[in-house]
Every structure is written in structure tokens, then in C-alpha cells.
Amino acid sequence: MSTSTPLWDISCSPFASFLNTNYFPSSAESAELEALLTEPERALSRIKLEISQAQAIIDRLTEQKNRVETFIRSYRALLSPIRRLPAETLAEIFTRCLPEGRRPVRTLKDAPLLLTRVSKEWRRISLSTPELWRALHIFVPLLLDAPAIGLREQGTELWLTRAGSLPLSIALVLSPLPFPASHQSLSFEEKSLQSSKKISPFLTMLMRFSTQITDLTLSFDATVSNCFMDAVPALLPALHSLSVGLALGPSEIIPRTIRTPISNIYCPKRHPFDIWP
């Protein structure tokens, strides 16, 4: 049985021993090499053309496939069982999407705000379900400028308003970053005044919901302690649970003039009552 030389096998060429060396062919050898490469170069051109034609077919079929998939996906969505659920059932499902073990925060990555971005119908149901909005963790960096504080205040008020008349569970964390070097020479009272100017409107807004607050966690810097106490009403009639924390900077001493929340808040239904340094 005869065997044929494998096509384009570089080891079968008379010049194979010169490959990967510094050998310089003579004029006659160069002409022979040019003749040797004529057919392979023609074959390469044919192969490239076939690949180009095949790729054009693949591109056309891929575009058709994507269109068909989009058509099927779009109309298949109309048959989704969740579309047949009544709004009341969806609202109950939405409440089960809330974070477990913590209060929700104002982020589009979590429920309930995430649910408002799925569709118009889900947004309508979410915004009309007070149970989704009755808890909130509020973080207020005091180094935010006044416009940013104002926007955060408006967003918080809108959130709590959506809860209607339901009881509210709120965590308020007033956590300033260290004062800049230019402010280090300020007295405690001067720092407190600067912080109070930024946070007072926010606290005043929050206290408009005081008759609904049943669960309250507070954590704030010493510089805003008196500011907070000025905003807290003497009566929180619905409060069941209150936790208070006072954060201090490095080596900072609380002045005797600071008033703690304990003596100012009357909570007839309070249980439990927790304080941490």
C-alpha cells in the first residue's frame, strides 16, 4: 500500500534541516524556495476565503438566533405564573424579601428599593405596601455638606411616610469622620455647634414620626449629643425598645455639660432598655 506525504509537512522539505537556523540560502535556493511556497500560499488564500464565508454564515445565523430568542423570551414572559398572582400576594412576598437580622438601608441593591426597579407594576405594589417601609437604618456622616444632608433627609422622610401609620423601627447612626486638621484646635463646644448646624434639621424631621417609633437604636458622636437631646421630645408614647450608644474620638473626654438621653426620654412602654458606652 502506497503512502503519500502529509500535506504541508515541513519535515518533508529538502530545506527542513535549515529551519530555525541562521542559514542564508543561495540565489538558486531562494528561487527554489519561492517555487516551494507558491502552492501553500494559494492554499492559504483559499482557506482564508472559506473561513470568511463560513464566518459570514455563522454571523447571520447568530443574529437570527438572537432575534428568535428575544421573541420567545419576550412573549414567554407573558406566561410567567407570577403575573397571575394578585397584588396582595405579591405584597406578602415582597415583605419576605426584606433583609433578615437587620433594618433595611437606602440602597438600590436591596429590598425594598430594589423591588421598585423591576417593573411599573412591582413599583406600584411596593410603594403602596406600608409594611416594606416601616424599618430603616439611617447613617448620617456629619462631614457631608448641607445639600447632601438635605437630600438624605428628604429621602428618609419619604421612606418613613410610605409606612403610613404603622409602627416604626429606626436605627439612627450619626457617625462623623475625624475633624480635619484645621478644626483640631476648636473646643468641644465649637465642634458641637458645627455638627449641630448640619444635623439639627435632620433630627427635627425624624422626630415628626415620634408617635410611631416603637423600636429605636441611637448611636452618635459626643459632639452632637446635646443637639440630639434638643430634638428629642419629652414623650415617645409608642416606644418599646431603646438602645443608646455614645461614640468618642481617641482620648476624648465627655464634658460635664453633655446631657444623656436617659434623663430626657419618657418611654412608658419601654422594654428592654439598653445602653452602651
mmCIF file of all heavy atoms in Angstrom, residues 136-172:
data_model
loop_
_atom_site.group_PDB
_atom_site.id
_atom_site.type_symbol
_atom_site.label_atom_id
_atom_site.label_comp_id
_atom_site.label_asym_id
_atom_site.label_seq_id
_atom_site.Cartn_x
_atom_site.Cartn_y
_atom_site.Cartn_z
ATOM 1 N N LEU A 136 -35.933 51.170 59.097
ATOM 2 C CA LEU A 136 -34.882 51.841 58.326
ATOM 3 C C LEU A 136 -33.642 52.044 59.191
ATOM 4 O O LEU A 136 -33.740 52.438 60.358
ATOM 5 C CB LEU A 136 -35.378 53.198 57.818
ATOM 6 C CG LEU A 136 -34.381 54.039 57.007
ATOM 7 C CD1 LEU A 136 -33.953 53.296 55.748
ATOM 8 C CD2 LEU A 136 -34.983 55.391 56.650
ATOM 9 N N HIS A 137 -32.499 51.746 58.603
ATOM 10 C CA HIS A 137 -31.210 52.072 59.219
ATOM 11 C C HIS A 137 -30.696 53.341 58.543
ATOM 12 O O HIS A 137 -30.475 53.365 57.329
ATOM 13 C CB HIS A 137 -30.210 50.929 59.023
ATOM 14 C CG HIS A 137 -28.855 51.211 59.598
ATOM 15 N ND1 HIS A 137 -28.470 50.763 60.840
ATOM 16 C CD2 HIS A 137 -27.798 51.910 59.105
ATOM 17 C CE1 HIS A 137 -27.233 51.165 61.089
ATOM 18 N NE2 HIS A 137 -26.804 51.859 60.049
ATOM 19 N N ILE A 138 -30.513 54.386 59.329
ATOM 20 C CA ILE A 138 -30.124 55.692 58.789
ATOM 21 C C ILE A 138 -28.697 55.999 59.207
ATOM 22 O O ILE A 138 -28.385 56.023 60.401
ATOM 23 C CB ILE A 138 -31.059 56.806 59.306
ATOM 24 C CG1 ILE A 138 -32.524 56.418 59.098
ATOM 25 C CG2 ILE A 138 -30.748 58.126 58.626
ATOM 26 C CD1 ILE A 138 -33.489 57.276 59.881
ATOM 27 N N PHE A 139 -27.843 56.226 58.236
ATOM 28 C CA PHE A 139 -26.454 56.587 58.514
ATOM 29 C C PHE A 139 -26.216 58.009 58.030
ATOM 30 O O PHE A 139 -26.488 58.335 56.878
ATOM 31 C CB PHE A 139 -25.496 55.629 57.813
ATOM 32 C CG PHE A 139 -24.044 55.988 58.005
ATOM 33 C CD1 PHE A 139 -23.430 55.815 59.232
ATOM 34 C CD2 PHE A 139 -23.307 56.506 56.950
ATOM 35 C CE1 PHE A 139 -22.091 56.149 59.407
ATOM 36 C CE2 PHE A 139 -21.970 56.842 57.120
ATOM 37 C CZ PHE A 139 -21.364 56.662 58.350
ATOM 38 N N VAL A 140 -25.718 58.858 58.910
ATOM 39 C CA VAL A 140 -25.512 60.267 58.570
ATOM 40 C C VAL A 140 -24.074 60.662 58.879
ATOM 41 O O VAL A 140 -23.736 60.934 60.028
ATOM 42 C CB VAL A 140 -26.473 61.183 59.351
ATOM 43 C CG1 VAL A 140 -26.319 62.625 58.881
ATOM 44 C CG2 VAL A 140 -27.910 60.726 59.193
ATOM 45 N N PRO A 141 -23.188 60.683 57.883
ATOM 46 C CA PRO A 141 -21.836 61.209 58.109
ATOM 47 C C PRO A 141 -21.903 62.728 58.257
ATOM 48 O O PRO A 141 -22.384 63.424 57.368
ATOM 49 C CB PRO A 141 -21.075 60.811 56.837
ATOM 50 C CG PRO A 141 -21.971 59.866 56.107
ATOM 51 C CD PRO A 141 -23.364 60.194 56.524
ATOM 52 N N LEU A 142 -21.418 63.244 59.353
ATOM 53 C CA LEU A 142 -21.573 64.672 59.612
ATOM 54 C C LEU A 142 -20.690 65.540 58.725
ATOM 55 O O LEU A 142 -20.890 66.747 58.654
ATOM 56 C CB LEU A 142 -21.277 64.968 61.087
ATOM 57 C CG LEU A 142 -22.300 64.378 62.061
ATOM 58 C CD1 LEU A 142 -21.976 64.790 63.479
ATOM 59 C CD2 LEU A 142 -23.702 64.825 61.696
ATOM 60 N N LEU A 143 -19.708 64.950 58.053
ATOM 61 C CA LEU A 143 -18.868 65.751 57.171
ATOM 62 C C LEU A 143 -19.500 65.960 55.801
ATOM 63 O O LEU A 143 -18.919 66.603 54.940
ATOM 64 C CB LEU A 143 -17.481 65.110 57.020
ATOM 65 C CG LEU A 143 -16.585 65.204 58.261
ATOM 66 C CD1 LEU A 143 -15.189 64.697 57.953
ATOM 67 C CD2 LEU A 143 -16.508 66.635 58.777
ATOM 68 N N LEU A 144 -20.690 65.396 55.575
ATOM 69 C CA LEU A 144 -21.413 65.719 54.344
ATOM 70 C C LEU A 144 -21.777 67.200 54.353
ATOM 71 O O LEU A 144 -22.053 67.775 55.404
ATOM 72 C CB LEU A 144 -22.688 64.885 54.244
ATOM 73 C CG LEU A 144 -22.540 63.396 53.937
ATOM 74 C CD1 LEU A 144 -23.916 62.743 53.899
ATOM 75 C CD2 LEU A 144 -21.827 63.170 52.617
ATOM 76 N N ASP A 145 -21.796 67.799 53.163
ATOM 77 C CA ASP A 145 -22.173 69.205 53.112
ATOM 78 C C ASP A 145 -23.689 69.341 53.263
ATOM 79 O O ASP A 145 -24.438 68.358 53.242
ATOM 80 C CB ASP A 145 -21.684 69.861 51.818
ATOM 81 C CG ASP A 145 -22.193 69.154 50.566
ATOM 82 O OD1 ASP A 145 -23.209 68.431 50.664
ATOM 83 O OD2 ASP A 145 -21.578 69.313 49.503
ATOM 84 N N ALA A 146 -24.136 70.572 53.420
ATOM 85 C CA ALA A 146 -25.548 70.836 53.695
ATOM 86 C C ALA A 146 -26.478 70.299 52.603
ATOM 87 O O ALA A 146 -27.508 69.693 52.914
ATOM 88 C CB ALA A 146 -25.765 72.333 53.903
ATOM 89 N N PRO A 147 -26.166 70.492 51.300
ATOM 90 C CA PRO A 147 -27.058 69.941 50.269
ATOM 91 C C PRO A 147 -27.187 68.420 50.356
ATOM 92 O O PRO A 147 -28.278 67.875 50.177
ATOM 93 C CB PRO A 147 -26.390 70.376 48.958
ATOM 94 C CG PRO A 147 -25.606 71.595 49.316
ATOM 95 C CD PRO A 147 -25.107 71.349 50.705
ATOM 96 N N ALA A 148 -26.075 67.729 50.632
ATOM 97 C CA ALA A 148 -26.125 66.266 50.729
ATOM 98 C C ALA A 148 -26.947 65.827 51.932
ATOM 99 O O ALA A 148 -27.727 64.872 51.856
ATOM 100 C CB ALA A 148 -24.707 65.698 50.818
ATOM 101 N N ILE A 149 -26.788 66.538 53.051
ATOM 102 C CA ILE A 149 -27.597 66.237 54.233
ATOM 103 C C ILE A 149 -29.074 66.451 53.919
ATOM 104 O O ILE A 149 -29.943 65.662 54.304
ATOM 105 C CB ILE A 149 -27.171 67.119 55.418
ATOM 106 C CG1 ILE A 149 -25.803 66.668 55.953
ATOM 107 C CG2 ILE A 149 -28.205 67.069 56.538
ATOM 108 C CD1 ILE A 149 -25.816 65.366 56.696
ATOM 109 N N GLY A 150 -29.371 67.534 53.179
ATOM 110 C CA GLY A 150 -30.758 67.820 52.828
ATOM 111 C C GLY A 150 -31.374 66.731 51.973
ATOM 112 O O GLY A 150 -32.521 66.325 52.193
ATOM 113 N N LEU A 151 -30.622 66.233 50.986
ATOM 114 C CA LEU A 151 -31.127 65.161 50.131
ATOM 115 C C LEU A 151 -31.355 63.885 50.934
ATOM 116 O O LEU A 151 -32.354 63.184 50.735
ATOM 117 C CB LEU A 151 -30.143 64.892 48.990
ATOM 118 C CG LEU A 151 -30.032 65.982 47.918
ATOM 119 C CD1 LEU A 151 -28.934 65.634 46.921
ATOM 120 C CD2 LEU A 151 -31.364 66.152 47.190
ATOM 121 N N ARG A 152 -30.451 63.588 51.852
ATOM 122 C CA ARG A 152 -30.606 62.387 52.669
ATOM 123 C C ARG A 152 -31.809 62.531 53.598
ATOM 124 O O ARG A 152 -32.540 61.571 53.840
ATOM 125 C CB ARG A 152 -29.327 62.141 53.466
ATOM 126 C CG ARG A 152 -29.280 60.785 54.132
ATOM 127 C CD ARG A 152 -27.877 60.405 54.530
ATOM 128 N NE ARG A 152 -26.991 60.285 53.380
ATOM 129 C CZ ARG A 152 -25.857 59.585 53.386
ATOM 130 N NH1 ARG A 152 -25.486 58.943 54.471
ATOM 131 N NH2 ARG A 152 -25.092 59.530 52.313
ATOM 132 N N GLU A 153 -32.003 63.726 54.094
ATOM 133 C CA GLU A 153 -33.166 63.990 54.953
ATOM 134 C C GLU A 153 -34.466 63.789 54.180
ATOM 135 O O GLU A 153 -35.407 63.143 54.664
ATOM 136 C CB GLU A 153 -33.086 65.416 55.489
ATOM 137 C CG GLU A 153 -34.320 65.876 56.243
ATOM 138 C CD GLU A 153 -34.326 67.381 56.451
ATOM 139 O OE1 GLU A 153 -33.249 68.009 56.360
ATOM 140 O OE2 GLU A 153 -35.411 67.929 56.686
ATOM 141 N N GLN A 154 -34.525 64.314 52.955
ATOM 142 C CA GLN A 154 -35.732 64.177 52.145
ATOM 143 C C GLN A 154 -36.013 62.713 51.818
ATOM 144 O O GLN A 154 -37.165 62.262 51.869
ATOM 145 C CB GLN A 154 -35.579 64.983 50.855
ATOM 146 C CG GLN A 154 -35.509 66.487 51.063
ATOM 147 C CD GLN A 154 -35.183 67.231 49.778
ATOM 148 O OE1 GLN A 154 -35.283 66.681 48.685
ATOM 149 N NE2 GLN A 154 -34.780 68.482 49.904
ATOM 150 N N GLY A 155 -34.954 61.981 51.464
ATOM 151 C CA GLY A 155 -35.137 60.568 51.150
ATOM 152 C C GLY A 155 -35.627 59.773 52.344
ATOM 153 O O GLY A 155 -36.479 58.885 52.213
ATOM 154 N N THR A 156 -35.105 60.093 53.525
ATOM 155 C CA THR A 156 -35.535 59.400 54.745
ATOM 156 C C THR A 156 -36.990 59.711 55.066
ATOM 157 O O THR A 156 -37.771 58.817 55.416
ATOM 158 C CB THR A 156 -34.638 59.816 55.924
ATOM 159 O OG1 THR A 156 -33.285 59.455 55.636
ATOM 160 C CG2 THR A 156 -35.083 59.136 57.207
ATOM 161 N N GLU A 157 -37.369 60.968 54.945
ATOM 162 C CA GLU A 157 -38.753 61.348 55.237
ATOM 163 C C GLU A 157 -39.718 60.668 54.270
ATOM 164 O O GLU A 157 -40.786 60.182 54.672
ATOM 165 C CB GLU A 157 -38.914 62.866 55.156
ATOM 166 C CG GLU A 157 -40.311 63.342 55.523
ATOM 167 C CD GLU A 157 -40.410 64.850 55.603
ATOM 168 O OE1 GLU A 157 -39.514 65.539 55.050
ATOM 169 O OE2 GLU A 157 -41.370 65.351 56.210
ATOM 170 N N LEU A 158 -39.351 60.609 52.990
ATOM 171 C CA LEU A 158 -40.205 59.949 52.003
ATOM 172 C C LEU A 158 -40.358 58.473 52.338
ATOM 173 O O LEU A 158 -41.457 57.908 52.251
ATOM 174 C CB LEU A 158 -39.606 60.123 50.607
ATOM 175 C CG LEU A 158 -40.365 59.468 49.448
ATOM 176 C CD1 LEU A 158 -41.782 60.023 49.357
ATOM 177 C CD2 LEU A 158 -39.615 59.678 48.136
ATOM 178 N N TRP A 159 -39.264 57.831 52.721
ATOM 179 C CA TRP A 159 -39.291 56.414 53.096
ATOM 180 C C TRP A 159 -40.281 56.188 54.242
ATOM 181 O O TRP A 159 -41.163 55.332 54.161
ATOM 182 C CB TRP A 159 -37.886 55.982 53.502
ATOM 183 C CG TRP A 159 -37.729 54.558 53.937
ATOM 184 C CD1 TRP A 159 -38.335 53.944 54.999
ATOM 185 C CD2 TRP A 159 -36.904 53.559 53.324
ATOM 186 N NE1 TRP A 159 -37.930 52.636 55.105
ATOM 187 C CE2 TRP A 159 -37.052 52.372 54.086
ATOM 188 C CE3 TRP A 159 -36.043 53.560 52.224
ATOM 189 C CZ2 TRP A 159 -36.365 51.198 53.773
ATOM 190 C CZ3 TRP A 159 -35.362 52.389 51.914
ATOM 191 C CH2 TRP A 159 -35.528 51.229 52.678
ATOM 192 N N LEU A 160 -40.125 56.948 55.328
ATOM 193 C CA LEU A 160 -40.956 56.742 56.514
ATOM 194 C C LEU A 160 -42.413 57.119 56.252
ATOM 195 O O LEU A 160 -43.328 56.514 56.821
ATOM 196 C CB LEU A 160 -40.398 57.549 57.683
ATOM 197 C CG LEU A 160 -38.976 57.156 58.125
ATOM 198 C CD1 LEU A 160 -38.504 58.052 59.259
ATOM 199 C CD2 LEU A 160 -38.923 55.693 58.537
ATOM 200 N N THR A 161 -42.640 58.091 55.380
ATOM 201 C CA THR A 161 -44.010 58.473 55.046
ATOM 202 C C THR A 161 -44.739 57.327 54.360
ATOM 203 O O THR A 161 -45.947 57.135 54.557
ATOM 204 C CB THR A 161 -44.002 59.719 54.139
ATOM 205 O OG1 THR A 161 -43.373 60.803 54.831
ATOM 206 C CG2 THR A 161 -45.417 60.123 53.758
ATOM 207 N N ARG A 162 -44.020 56.537 53.565
ATOM 208 C CA ARG A 162 -44.637 55.405 52.870
ATOM 209 C C ARG A 162 -45.132 54.337 53.843
ATOM 210 O O ARG A 162 -45.939 53.485 53.464
ATOM 211 C CB ARG A 162 -43.635 54.792 51.892
ATOM 212 C CG ARG A 162 -43.333 55.672 50.689
ATOM 213 C CD ARG A 162 -42.161 55.133 49.902
ATOM 214 N NE ARG A 162 -41.858 55.959 48.726
ATOM 215 C CZ ARG A 162 -40.713 55.916 48.054
ATOM 216 N NH1 ARG A 162 -39.747 55.092 48.446
ATOM 217 N NH2 ARG A 162 -40.520 56.690 47.008
ATOM 218 N N ALA A 163 -44.648 54.361 55.072
ATOM 219 C CA ALA A 163 -45.100 53.386 56.069
ATOM 220 C C ALA A 163 -46.488 53.711 56.597
ATOM 221 O O ALA A 163 -47.064 52.919 57.359
ATOM 222 C CB ALA A 163 -44.108 53.317 57.228
ATOM 223 N N GLY A 164 -47.027 54.849 56.203
ATOM 224 C CA GLY A 164 -48.353 55.224 56.673
ATOM 225 C C GLY A 164 -48.366 55.424 58.174
ATOM 226 O O GLY A 164 -47.519 56.123 58.733
ATOM 227 N N SER A 165 -49.300 54.764 58.838
ATOM 228 C CA SER A 165 -49.430 54.901 60.291
ATOM 229 C C SER A 165 -48.845 53.716 61.043
ATOM 230 O O SER A 165 -49.060 53.585 62.250
ATOM 231 C CB SER A 165 -50.910 55.059 60.657
ATOM 232 O OG SER A 165 -51.657 53.925 60.208
ATOM 233 N N LEU A 166 -48.102 52.851 60.351
ATOM 234 C CA LEU A 166 -47.538 51.668 61.004
ATOM 235 C C LEU A 166 -46.467 52.054 62.020
ATOM 236 O O LEU A 166 -45.812 53.091 61.893
ATOM 237 C CB LEU A 166 -46.926 50.728 59.965
ATOM 238 C CG LEU A 166 -47.877 49.988 59.031
ATOM 239 C CD1 LEU A 166 -47.090 49.068 58.111
ATOM 240 C CD2 LEU A 166 -48.897 49.185 59.818
ATOM 241 N N PRO A 167 -46.249 51.217 63.030
ATOM 242 C CA PRO A 167 -45.143 51.439 63.966
ATOM 243 C C PRO A 167 -43.809 51.405 63.222
ATOM 244 O O PRO A 167 -43.649 50.672 62.241
ATOM 245 C CB PRO A 167 -45.268 50.268 64.947
ATOM 246 C CG PRO A 167 -46.674 49.793 64.808
ATOM 247 C CD PRO A 167 -47.067 50.044 63.388
ATOM 248 N N LEU A 168 -42.854 52.184 63.701
ATOM 249 C CA LEU A 168 -41.570 52.318 63.024
ATOM 250 C C LEU A 168 -40.433 51.758 63.871
ATOM 251 O O LEU A 168 -40.409 51.931 65.089
ATOM 252 C CB LEU A 168 -41.289 53.788 62.709
ATOM 253 C CG LEU A 168 -42.288 54.499 61.792
ATOM 254 C CD1 LEU A 168 -41.923 55.972 61.665
ATOM 255 C CD2 LEU A 168 -42.341 53.837 60.424
ATOM 256 N N SER A 169 -39.499 51.109 63.185
ATOM 257 C CA SER A 169 -38.271 50.631 63.818
ATOM 258 C C SER A 169 -37.106 51.333 63.136
ATOM 259 O O SER A 169 -36.881 51.150 61.938
ATOM 260 C CB SER A 169 -38.143 49.113 63.664
ATOM 261 O OG SER A 169 -36.904 48.658 64.167
ATOM 262 N N ILE A 170 -36.368 52.135 63.897
ATOM 263 C CA ILE A 170 -35.367 53.017 63.302
ATOM 264 C C ILE A 170 -34.033 52.877 64.022
ATOM 265 O O ILE A 170 -33.979 52.812 65.253
ATOM 266 C CB ILE A 170 -35.828 54.488 63.360
ATOM 267 C CG1 ILE A 170 -37.110 54.670 62.546
ATOM 268 C CG2 ILE A 170 -34.740 55.424 62.854
ATOM 269 C CD1 ILE A 170 -37.714 56.053 62.666
ATOM 270 N N ALA A 171 -32.977 52.818 63.239
ATOM 271 C CA ALA A 171 -31.619 52.944 63.773
ATOM 272 C C ALA A 171 -31.030 54.219 63.201
ATOM 273 O O ALA A 171 -30.977 54.397 61.981
ATOM 274 C CB ALA A 171 -30.768 51.740 63.384
ATOM 275 N N LEU A 172 -30.609 55.111 64.075
ATOM 276 C CA LEU A 172 -30.040 56.387 63.648
ATOM 277 C C LEU A 172 -28.580 56.423 64.068
ATOM 278 O O LEU A 172 -28.258 56.437 65.254
ATOM 279 C CB LEU A 172 -30.808 57.548 64.278
ATOM 280 C CG LEU A 172 -30.275 58.948 63.978
ATOM 281 C CD1 LEU A 172 -30.277 59.220 62.483
ATOM 282 C CD2 LEU A 172 -31.098 60.002 64.711
#
